[in-house]
Amino acid sequence: MKRLKQQIIILHEILIKYSGGANGVRDIGLLDSALETPLLLLKGFQIILQFKARQQGWLRG
């Protein structure tokens, strides 16, 4: 995840260089949130599948 974040920041710097705008990322927390959201959604989906599997008796725990 750290490498992806670095790559996005570099891409952002390149875009600013060519199109103009303020240097730097205005809200690094927002970038972190955007990168983590898909992982959290996937984790939630896995939890739901495990719950359904336990209800059906396919999984013990």
Side-chain angles (χ1 to χ4, degrees), residues 5 8 25-28 45 49 51 56 61:
K5 182 178 173 182
I8 290 171
V25 178
R26 183 172 59 182
D27 188 346
I28 201 75
F45 184 67
L49 287 178
F51 177 74
Q56 298 296 324

Side-chain angles (χ1 to χ4, degrees), residues 25-44:
V25 178
R26 183 172 59 182
D27 188 346
I28 201 75
L30 189 58
L31 176 59
D32 290 335
S33 177
L35 292 173
E36 292 175 11
T37 297
L39 297 175
L40 293 174
L41 291 173
L42 180 59
K43 183 65 176 173

Side-chain angles (χ1 to χ4, degrees), residues 12-31:
H12 182 260
E13 290 170 356
I14 292 168
L15 289 171
I16 298 254
K17 181 180 177 180
Y18 286 102
S19 63
N23 286 329
V25 178
R26 183 172 59 182
D27 188 346
I28 201 75
L30 189 58
L31 176 59

